[in-house]
Amino acid sequence: TLILLAYLFLASSYALLTPVFEAGDELWHYPMVAHLADGNPLPVQVFDPNAVGLWKQQASQPPLYYYLGAALTAPIDTSDLLEKRWLNPHVSNGIITADGNNNLAIHNPDWSPWSGTLLAVRIVRFLSVALGAITVFYTWRIGRLTHPQRPALALAAASMVAFLPMFLFISGAVNNDNLIMALSAVTLYRLIRHVVGVPAVHWRDILLLGVLIGLATIAKIIGVGLLPLALGTLFIANWRDSKVETQHLASSSFSSLQTGEGRKKQEKRETQNLVSLLVRTGDENKTETQNLASLLVRTVGQFVVLFVTAFVVGGWWYVRNVRLYGDWKGWNAFIAVLGQRPQPATLAQLWDERFGFMQAFWGLFGGVNVPLPSLIYTVLNWLLVIGVVGFMLYAVRILLTFTRTRRAPLVTLFNFVEQHFALVVCLLWTAAVVVGLVQWATTTWSSQGRLVFAALPAEMVLLTTGLFALLPKKVSRIPITLLAIFMFMVAAYAPWGIIRPSYRPTDVSLSNFQLSDFQPVTFDNTVRLNTAAIEQRPYQPDTPLDLYLDWELLAQTDKNWSVFVHLNDPVIDNPIAQRDMYPGGGLLATSFMQVGDSTRNHYRLPIPPTAVTPAALQLLVGLYDVDTGLRLGDATQLTTITVTAPPGDLPNPTQTNFGNQFDLIGYQLSDRTPSRGEPFDLTLYFRAEGAIAADYSISAQILPQDIIDTTRYGNHDQPLYTTTWQPGAVQQIDLTITPSIDTPADIYRLVLKAYTQQDGAFTNLQLAQDGRLTNDTDLTLTKIRVTP
C-alpha cells in the first residue's frame, strides 16, 4: 500500500510538472486521441512522411489506448490543438546539448493549463497514471507467486518498478506503453497463477486469458507475443493436472488395500488400478509419448478456444492492416513514416549503443534529451550488472539440481518448468520483448531502453531475484530497504530538480568572457543585443565555441524571431557551423515577450572535425522569421575566430574513421570555389588501423546542402585496394572531380563514402566514433561554392 501511494504521488508529480507535449512521443500520441475523440474513424496511414497527419507514425499503432483516452476526453473542446501544439522549429530532439534548446514545444505562460487541449492531455496522462498503478500492483503479485517464501522480494520488485524514473515519466505521459505494461502484467500474473496458484484451469479462465491477450494485441503489437506463452502455460497446467490425477489414483489404490475387503475384490481393484497407472504413467520410458500426445490434444483444444477469443477481441485490427497495407503488422507503413537506418545495424553496433539504451531505460526525459546526472546512471548500471550475475548464479544452482534427476528427460524437463514456472515465464517474456526490440532496432533508430517496458514487471522480478535471492532472508531485508529508498529519492528528485528546471528560462553567467570592444546592437528597433561574450582561447577543428548573448525586447511584436549564430567562412561566404534557436534557450517566443523583457542565452557551435585550416572565420549573429526566412535587420559580425590546424604534417589533419577499418587523417583541395565544368583536385590521406580483409572503394560526390536532395552534380569513384595497405602506413589517394556543366551556382557539400561492391550490390561503410559505429555513412568533408 505504501509503495502504491508513493507511486501515485510521484507519477502525478511527473504528469503535472512535465509540460504538455514534452513527454517523449506525446506530441504524436495525443493527436490520435484527439482525432478519435472528435468522432473520426481510425486514420489510414500514408507512406509519405511529408504528407502524414499530426500523429506521424503513431497511426500505425494498435488503437486501444487511443480509444480509451478519447472516451475520457470526448466532451472537452480541443479545437485549440494546433495552437497549443506549437512545435519548437529548432529543437535538438534526441540530442543532449550544453546550451539547452531541448523543448519540443513552445509554451505560452498565459495559457490556462486546465482548459481545452491542455486539460484533455492531462486527463489522459492521469489515465496513464492509473494504468501504471495496475502495473506496480501486479508486479508485486507476480513477485509473490515467484517467491512465496520471501515476500520481501516481491516488495523489492514492486518498488523497482514504482520508483523507476523512466517508468514514472512514461506513466505521467500520453503513451500507449502504459496500457501494454498493465495488460501484460495482469496476463503474466494469470498465466503464472494457473500453474502455481490454482488447482485446475477452467474454461472461464481460458476465456478470460483470451480476452486479456486480445486486448493486449490491440494495445501494442508486442502483445501478440503473449499467445505462445499462453500455449506453453496451458500445456504445463495440463501436465500438472495429469500428475495430480495420477497421484490421486495411486492413493486410491493404496487405500482400497487397507479397507478389509475380500481378497478377490482387492486383487481385482488393484489390477484395474495398476493397469490404469501403467497407461497414465507406468514405465515413463514406454508411456511418455502416449501421455504427451494426450496432453497435446487437450492443450491444443484449449488454445484454439483462447486464440479464437483473442482474435474476436483484437483480430479485426490485424485484418485491417492486411487489407490496407498488405502487412498484418502494418510495419511497412510505420517504417515509411518513421524512417530507417541507411543499412541494418549489426549486433556489434547495437552493443555500441548500449549506454544511450540504458539511459533511456533508467531515465532520459523530454525528447530523449534531458538526462539524469551521470553518477546515477553509473550506480544503476552497476546494480544491473550485479543483478544479472546474481541471477546467473541462482540459475546455476537450480540447474544443478535439475541435472541430478534420474527420470525420463521430458518428465524431468516438464517437472522443472512446473516447479520454477514463474521464473521461466518471466525469462521467456523478457527474452521475447528484448529479441523483438533487437529486430526492430536493427532496422530503425529506435534503440531505446524504454521500449522493453512491456516486460518491465518480469524484468524487475528477475533483477531483484538476482540481487537478493542468494542472500539469507534476515540479511537481505536491509539492502532491499536501502534500494527502495535510493530509487525513491532519485525518482522524487527528477521531476523537481531536472525536468522542471529544463523548461524554465534561466540566465547564464558571462564569467570573464565579455568582448572588450563590443557595442550594443539594435535590430530594426525591435530587439537589442546588449552583451556578447566568448571565451578567448585557441580554436581547432572538432572543438566547441561557446558564446553568450544578452537580448532585450524593445518593441512589441507579433513575429517569433529566431536567433542565428554563424561561423562564416569568407572563402565560400557560407557558414561551416551554426546554431539557431528561439530566445531563452529555445523556450521564449518573441510574440509573447513584453517590452523590456531580457534573456541571457548560451550558444554552442561545434567546429567540424574536417574544417579547412588555418582559417579566419567570421562570428555573425542576427534574427530571422523561420516561417518566411525574413531577417530582422542585418546580421552583425561580433568578432573573427582564428581556427588553427591541429598537430600533424599533413594538410587539414583530421581523424575520421570508416567502419573501424581505416582513418581519413588529412586532405587537400586545389580549389574551394570551382567553376562548373572545370575540374579540381582532391587529395586524401588514409591510414589503416590493421589488416583489412576486403577491398574498398571511395566515392567523392558534390551534393546539395539539403541532405534530402540526393542529386549528384559531380563525383569520382576510385578503388582503394585496401587489402594491400600496411597497418600504420599513410596512403595518398588523388582524385579529380568536375562539377557538371548544368550545376546551378550555389554552395554544395563535398561528401565522401567508402563502400564495397559484390554481385552488383553496394555496401557502405558506417562512420565510427570512439570505436562505435554510427548511423552515418556520408562524411561531409567540407563545403564548396560552384561558380558560373
Side-chain angles (χ1 to χ4, degrees):
T1 302
L2 289 174
I3 290 172
L4 275 174
L5 290 174
Y7 158 78
L8 289 171
F9 168 75
L10 290 173
S12 298
S13 299
Y14 282 78
L16 293 172
L17 293 178
T18 304
V20 169
F21 300 129
E22 297 292 351
D25 297 338
E26 186 175 76
L27 72 170
W28 301 312
H29 282 295
Y30 177 73
M32 280 290 295
V33 174
H35 179 79
L36 297 176
D38 289 340
N40 299 305
L42 286 173
V44 176
Q45 186 65 287
V46 298
F47 286 76
D48 182 0
N50 297 316
V52 74
L54 298 180
W55 40 76
K56 289 188 69 175
Q57 72 273 10
Q58 306 305 340
S60 296
Q61 295 261 31
L64 181 57
Y65 178 83
Y66 307 124
Y67 276 124
L68 293 175
L72 288 174
T73 58
I76 301 174
D77 179 10
T78 57
S79 57
D80 60 346
L81 173 59
L82 291 178
E83 176 192 4
K84 298 303 192 300
R85 189 179 175 273
W86 179 359
L87 302 187
N88 179 2
H90 310 296
V91 60
S92 301
N93 196 359
I95 303 173
I96 299 173
T97 64
D99 56 357
N101 203 32
N102 297 316
N103 52 301
L104 299 167
I106 305 300
H107 312 281
N108 192 328
D110 294 334
W111 289 339
S112 170
W114 301 109
S115 64
T117 294
L118 300 184
L119 172 62
V121 170
R122 285 182 167 84
I123 289 175
V124 182
R125 283 184 172 186
F126 279 99
L127 166 65
S128 297
V129 171
L131 292 171
I134 295 173
T135 303
V136 173
F137 178 69
Y138 275 91
T139 301
W140 171 71
R141 300 195 75 178
I142 293 169
R144 288 299 303 268
L145 291 178
T146 306
H147 300 289
Q149 305 303 319
R150 302 190 67 179
L153 290 183
L155 292 174
S159 64
M160 286 292 289
V161 173
F163 306 148
L164 180 65
M166 196 64 182
F167 171 74
L168 289 163
F169 181 66
I170 296 300
S171 295
V174 179
N175 194 303
N176 63 347
D177 286 347
N178 295 293
L179 183 58
I180 188 60
M181 283 189 285
L183 286 171
S184 64
V186 176
T187 304
L188 283 182
Y189 169 75
R190 299 289 304 185
L191 291 175
I192 296 170
R193 182 172 173 269
H194 286 324
V195 172
V196 176
V198 296
V201 179
H202 299 286
W203 287 107
R204 64 177 179 272
D205 300 317
I206 295 172
L207 292 174
L208 177 57
L209 276 176
V211 171
L212 285 172
I213 295 175
L215 293 174
T217 62
I218 51 173
K220 209 156 186 178
I221 290 178
I222 191 62
V224 176
L226 292 167
L227 286 170
L229 274 185
L231 176 61
T233 298
L234 292 174
F235 177 81
I236 295 298
N238 289 328
W239 167 263
R240 178 208 58 189
D241 293 344
S242 71
K243 290 200 309 178
V244 171
E245 293 173 5
T246 300
Q247 293 167 359
H248 177 71
L249 181 59
S251 176
S252 299
S253 175
F254 177 78
S255 298
S256 66
L257 292 175
Q258 310 300 319
T259 59
E261 298 180 10
R263 185 175 181 82
K264 291 183 179 181
K265 289 184 177 181
Q266 289 178 345
E267 291 178 351
K268 183 178 180 180
R269 182 72 57 82
E270 181 180 357
T271 301
Q272 290 174 344
N273 288 342
L274 289 174
V275 170
S276 180
L277 282 170
L278 179 63
V279 173
R280 291 177 178 269
T281 57
D283 181 2
E284 293 173 343
N285 291 324
K286 295 180 180 180
T287 62
E288 183 178 310
T289 302
Q290 295 176 340
N291 290 336
L292 182 60
S294 175
L295 291 176
L296 285 175
V297 169
R298 183 179 179 185
T299 300
V300 169
Q302 293 172 333
F303 182 72
V304 168
V305 173
L306 184 150
F307 180 85
V308 170
T309 304
F311 189 83
V312 168
V313 174
W316 61 271
W317 188 77
Y318 295 90
V319 172
R320 176 180 181 269
N321 282 343
V322 173
R323 181 173 57 84
L324 291 177
Y325 315 119
D327 176 9
W328 68 273
K329 294 179 291 188
W331 278 6
N332 51 359
F334 196 114
I335 293 175
V337 175
L338 177 65
Q340 60 186 20
R341 297 177 188 257
Q343 58 193 48
T346 63
L347 291 178
Q349 183 178 351
L350 293 180
W351 176 251
D352 288 340
E353 298 171 3
R354 65 190 181 278
F355 182 74
F357 179 91
M358 292 312 303
Q359 280 184 308
F361 181 88
W362 299 120
L364 187 56
F365 313 116
V368 289
N369 54 14
V370 179
L372 290 164
S374 58
L375 178 61
I376 293 177
Y377 292 125
T378 300
V379 173
L380 293 173
N381 285 335
W382 274 110
L383 277 174
L384 178 63
V385 171
I386 294 170
V388 170
V389 172
F391 184 82
M392 292 173 65
L393 295 174
Y394 179 74
V396 167
R397 188 175 68 179
I398 294 175
L399 289 172
L400 287 176
T401 304
F402 165 62
T403 56
R404 296 191 189 105
T405 306
R406 298 294 184 180
R407 306 185 66 183
L410 281 181
V411 173
T412 304
L413 176 62
F414 296 154
N415 285 341
F416 175 82
V417 172
E418 179 200 350
Q419 183 180 356
H420 303 285
F421 188 73
L423 283 178
V424 170
V425 167
C426 288
L427 270 173
L428 290 176
W429 181 231
T430 298
V433 172
V434 171
V435 169
L437 175 60
V438 168
Q439 293 176 340
W440 180 247
T442 57
T443 302
T444 71
W445 287 285
S446 300
S447 182
Q448 295 184 37
R450 71 170 181 85
L451 296 181
V452 299
F453 277 11
L456 187 61
E459 293 159 2
M460 289 309 175
V461 167
L462 296 175
L463 178 60
T464 52
T465 298
L467 285 172
F468 303 113
L470 295 180
L471 296 177
K473 291 183 181 180
K474 294 182 179 180
V475 176
S476 63
R477 289 178 179 270
I478 294 177
I480 285 175
T481 304
L482 293 176
L483 175 64
I485 293 173
F486 169 73
M487 293 297 296
F488 177 82
M489 292 176 62
V490 173
Y493 167 71
W496 298 93
I498 297 176
I499 295 176
R500 190 166 180 257
S502 295
Y503 300 99
R504 290 192 164 191
T506 56
D507 284 345
V508 292
S509 172
L510 294 183
S511 188
N512 298 317
F513 306 142
Q514 185 167 342
L515 297 178
S516 58
D517 57 348
F518 179 78
Q519 297 296 323
V521 179
T522 300
F523 295 86
D524 201 23
N525 296 318
T526 303
V527 179
R528 182 167 61 208
L529 177 59
N530 289 321
T531 308
I534 185 175
E535 184 177 5
Q536 300 295 333
R537 62 179 179 85
Y539 287 98
Q540 293 181 343
D542 203 22
T543 59
L545 182 149
D546 290 299
L547 175 69
Y548 301 88
L549 302 177
D550 193 348
W551 298 97
E552 181 183 357
L553 188 70
L554 299 180
Q556 207 69 43
T557 178
D558 59 356
K559 292 283 189 180
N560 295 302
W561 299 107
S562 299
V563 175
F564 68 85
V565 182
H566 289 172
L567 268 180
N568 199 61
D569 187 338
V571 175
I572 58 174
D573 192 23
N574 196 256
I576 66 164
Q578 67 184 75
R579 187 67 162 138
D580 295 20
M581 68 173 78
Y582 276 177
L587 292 163
L588 297 178
T590 53
S591 64
F592 60 70
M593 293 176 65
Q594 302 299 314
V595 174
D597 286 353
S598 62
T599 175
R600 185 170 295 164
N601 302 155
H602 175 202
Y603 304 87
R604 170 166 286 188
L605 285 76
I607 301 174
T610 57
V612 175
T613 54
L617 306 178
Q618 303 162 335
L619 183 60
L620 304 177
V621 63
L623 299 104
Y624 74 106
D625 182 354
V626 70
D627 294 324
T628 64
L630 176 69
R631 287 195 176 186
L632 183 66
D634 296 325
T636 186
Q637 180 174 339
L638 299 179
T639 189
T640 299
I641 303 297
T642 300
V643 180
T644 60
D649 298 329
L650 299 175
N652 298 310
T654 185
Q655 198 74 26
T656 305
N657 184 272
F658 287 85
N660 291 321
Q661 298 292 315
F662 50 85
D663 295 308
L664 175 70
I665 57 175
Y667 74 95
Q668 189 169 25
L669 276 172
S670 63
D671 191 356
R672 297 183 62 207
T673 58
S675 300
R676 54 191 175 199
E678 296 294 328
F680 63 93
D681 296 326
L682 171 63
T683 302
L684 303 172
Y685 300 93
F686 292 104
R687 183 170 55 212
E689 293 188 342
I692 302 178
D695 278 321
Y696 293 94
S697 297
I698 195 73
S699 178
Q701 304 172 2
I702 300 174
L703 300 177
Q705 290 202 80
D706 184 356
I707 60 175
I708 298 177
D709 188 349
T710 58
T711 305
R712 294 186 189 180
Y713 290 99
N715 69 282
H716 185 130
D717 287 46
Q718 183 167 313
L720 299 178
Y721 304 109
T722 48
T723 55
T724 65
W725 288 4
Q726 295 299 315
V730 176
Q731 307 292 332
Q732 178 177 325
I733 307 297
D734 296 311
L735 308 176
T736 299
I737 309 171
T738 304
S740 62
I741 195 65
D742 58 349
T743 303
D746 204 347
I747 301 294
Y748 294 89
R749 295 179 298 133
L750 183 59
V751 173
L752 295 183
K753 295 184 179 184
Y755 65 92
T756 58
Q757 182 179 5
Q758 188 174 7
D759 299 327
F762 293 87
T763 302
N764 293 323
L765 270 179
Q766 295 166 268
L767 300 179
Q769 188 173 16
D770 298 326
R772 299 192 302 269
L773 294 177
T774 70
N775 294 315
D776 297 323
T777 59
D778 296 6
L779 170 64
T780 298
L781 190 64
T782 186
K783 294 181 181 180
I784 62 172
R785 176 179 290 277
V786 177
T787 60

